[in-house]
Amino acid sequence: MGARTQIDASELTNGEKRRNAVRRVTKTRQERAEKLLATEEGRTALASNLGRARDAYHKAIEIDSSSAPAYRGLGEVETALGDPRAAARAYLDYLQRAPDAVDRPVVLQRLGVLRDQLSNQENGNGQPTDPH
């Protein structure tokens, strides 16, 4: 969530090196990300990074509109930014360009989740609808 500070490892004490190693072992990447997202600074950095990623994917698509991975990445970014319609459009474009993609089942599952989100938005509620 933001730029990493460049650290000269030779300037760290052995105690600092051990403490950093223990932190990496005791917390998963997701746990560290959740801790960062608990702060306003972390949320702001994430939104900024996602915006830049979206711009980069759009630029990649502008350069080569047949690039399936760019559409998949755009779908992931749009999902993270909370735009299910744009995410679904990007995932559908991905599947059109890579119909035999190995991750097709995963993308189809994501499209199902996005479909439910869009349906809930249209129904005016934030709750999943009962499929039965």
Side-chain angles (χ1 to χ4, degrees):
M1 308 312 138
R4 290 187 180 198
T5 305
Q6 296 298 322
I7 297 174
D8 183 359
S10 65
E11 294 178 7
L12 295 176
T13 66
N14 285 336
E16 289 171 324
K17 290 176 185 176
R18 278 192 299 274
R19 186 182 68 241
N20 289 341
V22 167
R23 283 183 183 160
R24 280 192 301 274
V25 170
T26 59
K27 291 191 177 191
T28 64
R29 176 179 289 184
Q30 183 176 351
E31 290 170 330
R32 291 190 304 268
E34 286 172 1
K35 183 177 177 183
L36 288 171
L37 290 174
T39 67
E40 184 62 33
E41 182 182 27
R43 289 186 297 273
T44 300
L46 176 62
S48 175
N49 290 343
L50 288 171
R52 286 196 307 274
R54 178 174 42 195
D55 293 344
Y57 282 120
H58 280 293
K59 183 72 171 175
I61 290 166
E62 197 177 294
I63 292 169
D64 180 6
S65 64
S66 67
S67 174
Y71 286 98
R72 186 181 193 286
L74 181 59
E76 292 172 6
V77 168
E78 295 291 7
T79 299
L81 286 169
D83 189 345
R85 190 168 310 282
R89 198 173 315 119
Y91 282 135
L92 288 170
D93 286 339
Y94 168 68
L95 292 176
Q96 282 182 329
R97 285 158 180 80
D100 297 327
V102 174
D103 62 347
R104 182 179 180 83
V106 172
V107 174
L108 290 172
Q109 180 183 19
R110 290 179 184 176
L111 280 166
V113 169
L114 293 168
R115 181 197 60 226
D116 292 346
Q117 288 176 358
L118 288 167
S119 175
N120 289 334
Q121 285 178 0
E122 290 171 6
N123 293 334
N125 65 31
Q127 301 301 316
T129 55
D130 186 0
H132 303 288

Short mmCIF file of all heavy atoms in Angstrom, two decimals, residues 5 13 20-21 23 25 32 39 43 49 53 61 67 77 85 87-88 99 103 115 117-118 129:
data_model
loop_
_atom_site.label_atom_id
_atom_site.label_comp_id
_atom_site.label_asym_id
_atom_site.label_seq_id
_atom_site.Cartn_x
_atom_site.Cartn_y
_atom_site.Cartn_z
N THR A 5 9.99 1.86 1.37
CA THR A 5 11.18 2.60 1.75
C THR A 5 12.39 1.75 1.43
O THR A 5 12.42 0.56 1.73
CB THR A 5 11.16 2.91 3.27
OG1 THR A 5 9.95 3.59 3.56
CG2 THR A 5 12.35 3.74 3.67
N THR A 13 20.59 -3.68 12.52
CA THR A 13 21.25 -4.49 13.54
C THR A 13 20.76 -5.93 13.40
O THR A 13 19.74 -6.19 12.78
CB THR A 13 20.92 -3.97 14.95
OG1 THR A 13 19.52 -4.17 15.19
CG2 THR A 13 21.30 -2.51 15.11
N ASN A 20 12.37 -8.41 11.94
CA ASN A 20 11.74 -8.37 10.63
C ASN A 20 11.43 -9.77 10.11
O ASN A 20 10.38 -10.00 9.51
CB ASN A 20 12.62 -7.60 9.63
CG ASN A 20 12.67 -6.13 9.92
OD1 ASN A 20 11.81 -5.58 10.60
ND2 ASN A 20 13.68 -5.46 9.39
N ALA A 21 12.35 -10.70 10.33
CA ALA A 21 12.13 -12.08 9.89
C ALA A 21 10.95 -12.70 10.63
O ALA A 21 10.11 -13.37 10.03
CB ALA A 21 13.39 -12.91 10.09
N ARG A 23 8.39 -11.12 11.95
CA ARG A 23 7.16 -10.47 11.46
C ARG A 23 6.71 -11.09 10.14
O ARG A 23 5.53 -11.28 9.91
CB ARG A 23 7.37 -8.97 11.27
CG ARG A 23 7.36 -8.21 12.56
CD ARG A 23 7.50 -6.74 12.30
NE ARG A 23 7.55 -6.02 13.56
CZ ARG A 23 8.04 -4.81 13.70
NH1 ARG A 23 8.52 -4.16 12.66
NH2 ARG A 23 8.04 -4.22 14.87
N VAL A 25 7.28 -14.12 9.14
CA VAL A 25 6.85 -15.49 9.38
C VAL A 25 5.50 -15.52 10.09
O VAL A 25 4.64 -16.33 9.77
CB VAL A 25 7.91 -16.26 10.20
CG1 VAL A 25 7.37 -17.59 10.67
CG2 VAL A 25 9.17 -16.44 9.39
N ARG A 32 -0.80 -8.62 6.75
CA ARG A 32 -0.07 -7.35 6.68
C ARG A 32 -0.86 -6.32 5.88
O ARG A 32 -0.93 -5.15 6.26
CB ARG A 32 1.31 -7.56 6.08
CG ARG A 32 2.25 -8.36 6.99
CD ARG A 32 3.69 -8.37 6.50
NE ARG A 32 3.87 -8.86 5.15
CZ ARG A 32 4.12 -10.12 4.82
NH1 ARG A 32 4.22 -11.04 5.76
NH2 ARG A 32 4.29 -10.48 3.57
N THR A 39 -5.66 1.76 8.15
CA THR A 39 -5.33 3.18 8.28
C THR A 39 -5.84 3.96 7.07
O THR A 39 -5.96 3.41 5.97
CB THR A 39 -3.80 3.39 8.37
OG1 THR A 39 -3.21 3.02 7.13
CG2 THR A 39 -3.19 2.57 9.50
N ARG A 43 -5.52 3.03 2.96
CA ARG A 43 -6.65 3.01 2.02
C ARG A 43 -6.44 3.99 0.88
O ARG A 43 -6.75 3.71 -0.28
CB ARG A 43 -7.95 3.30 2.76
CG ARG A 43 -8.39 2.15 3.68
CD ARG A 43 -9.74 2.40 4.31
NE ARG A 43 -9.79 3.55 5.19
CZ ARG A 43 -9.47 3.54 6.48
NH1 ARG A 43 -9.09 2.41 7.05
NH2 ARG A 43 -9.56 4.64 7.20
N ASN A 49 -2.99 3.40 -6.05
CA ASN A 49 -2.32 2.33 -6.79
C ASN A 49 -3.28 1.64 -7.76
O ASN A 49 -2.91 1.33 -8.90
CB ASN A 49 -1.72 1.30 -5.83
CG ASN A 49 -0.53 1.85 -5.07
OD1 ASN A 49 0.06 2.85 -5.45
ND2 ASN A 49 -0.20 1.19 -3.97
N ALA A 53 -3.07 1.40 -11.77
CA ALA A 53 -3.11 0.10 -12.44
C ALA A 53 -4.19 0.10 -13.52
O ALA A 53 -3.96 -0.39 -14.64
CB ALA A 53 -3.39 -1.01 -11.43
N ILE A 61 -4.27 -1.98 -23.37
CA ILE A 61 -5.35 -2.35 -24.31
C ILE A 61 -5.34 -1.43 -25.51
O ILE A 61 -5.58 -1.86 -26.64
CB ILE A 61 -6.70 -2.35 -23.57
CG1 ILE A 61 -6.73 -3.52 -22.59
CG2 ILE A 61 -7.86 -2.41 -24.55
CD1 ILE A 61 -7.86 -3.45 -21.57
N SER A 67 -4.78 -8.25 -26.44
CA SER A 67 -4.06 -8.76 -25.27
C SER A 67 -5.03 -9.22 -24.19
O SER A 67 -5.53 -8.43 -23.39
CB SER A 67 -3.13 -7.69 -24.71
OG SER A 67 -2.55 -8.14 -23.50
N VAL A 77 -8.79 -5.27 -11.32
CA VAL A 77 -8.69 -3.91 -10.78
C VAL A 77 -10.07 -3.29 -10.61
O VAL A 77 -10.38 -2.69 -9.58
CB VAL A 77 -7.78 -3.02 -11.67
CG1 VAL A 77 -7.89 -1.56 -11.30
CG2 VAL A 77 -6.34 -3.50 -11.58
N ARG A 85 -19.85 -3.60 -13.00
CA ARG A 85 -20.21 -3.56 -14.41
C ARG A 85 -18.95 -3.51 -15.29
O ARG A 85 -18.82 -4.26 -16.25
CB ARG A 85 -21.12 -2.37 -14.70
CG ARG A 85 -21.71 -2.41 -16.10
CD ARG A 85 -22.83 -1.39 -16.29
NE ARG A 85 -23.86 -1.41 -15.27
CZ ARG A 85 -24.85 -2.31 -15.19
NH1 ARG A 85 -24.93 -3.27 -16.07
NH2 ARG A 85 -25.74 -2.24 -14.22
N ALA A 87 -15.95 -4.40 -14.36
CA ALA A 87 -15.20 -5.64 -14.15
C ALA A 87 -15.76 -6.76 -15.01
O ALA A 87 -15.01 -7.49 -15.66
CB ALA A 87 -15.25 -6.03 -12.66
N ALA A 88 -17.09 -6.89 -15.03
CA ALA A 88 -17.72 -7.95 -15.83
C ALA A 88 -17.42 -7.74 -17.31
O ALA A 88 -17.10 -8.71 -18.02
CB ALA A 88 -19.23 -7.95 -15.59
N PRO A 99 -10.65 -17.91 -25.15
CA PRO A 99 -11.76 -18.82 -24.83
C PRO A 99 -11.31 -20.14 -24.20
O PRO A 99 -12.08 -20.78 -23.49
CB PRO A 99 -12.44 -19.06 -26.18
CG PRO A 99 -11.43 -18.67 -27.21
CD PRO A 99 -10.54 -17.64 -26.58
N ASP A 103 -7.66 -20.55 -16.73
CA ASP A 103 -8.39 -20.00 -15.59
C ASP A 103 -9.85 -19.67 -15.92
O ASP A 103 -10.52 -18.99 -15.16
CB ASP A 103 -7.68 -18.77 -15.05
CG ASP A 103 -7.60 -17.64 -16.07
OD1 ASP A 103 -7.86 -17.89 -17.27
OD2 ASP A 103 -7.25 -16.52 -15.67
N ARG A 115 -22.41 -10.77 -11.42
CA ARG A 115 -23.81 -10.76 -11.85
C ARG A 115 -24.73 -10.58 -10.64
O ARG A 115 -25.67 -9.79 -10.67
CB ARG A 115 -24.14 -12.07 -12.58
CG ARG A 115 -25.60 -12.13 -13.08
CD ARG A 115 -26.04 -13.54 -13.41
NE ARG A 115 -25.94 -14.35 -12.21
CZ ARG A 115 -25.39 -15.57 -12.17
NH1 ARG A 115 -24.91 -16.13 -13.26
NH2 ARG A 115 -25.33 -16.25 -11.05
N GLN A 117 -23.96 -9.21 -7.76
CA GLN A 117 -23.79 -7.84 -7.26
C GLN A 117 -24.62 -6.86 -8.08
O GLN A 117 -25.29 -5.99 -7.52
CB GLN A 117 -22.32 -7.43 -7.28
CG GLN A 117 -21.48 -8.10 -6.24
CD GLN A 117 -20.00 -7.74 -6.37
OE1 GLN A 117 -19.60 -7.00 -7.27
NE2 GLN A 117 -19.19 -8.27 -5.48
N LEU A 118 -24.57 -6.99 -9.38
CA LEU A 118 -25.33 -6.09 -10.25
C LEU A 118 -26.82 -6.28 -10.05
O LEU A 118 -27.59 -5.31 -10.03
CB LEU A 118 -24.93 -6.31 -11.72
CG LEU A 118 -23.54 -5.80 -12.08
CD1 LEU A 118 -23.11 -6.33 -13.43
CD2 LEU A 118 -23.50 -4.28 -12.05
N THR A 129 -29.54 -12.26 -3.20
CA THR A 129 -30.90 -12.80 -3.35
C THR A 129 -30.85 -14.30 -3.13
O THR A 129 -29.86 -14.96 -3.41
CB THR A 129 -31.44 -12.51 -4.77
OG1 THR A 129 -30.51 -13.01 -5.72
CG2 THR A 129 -31.65 -11.02 -4.97
#
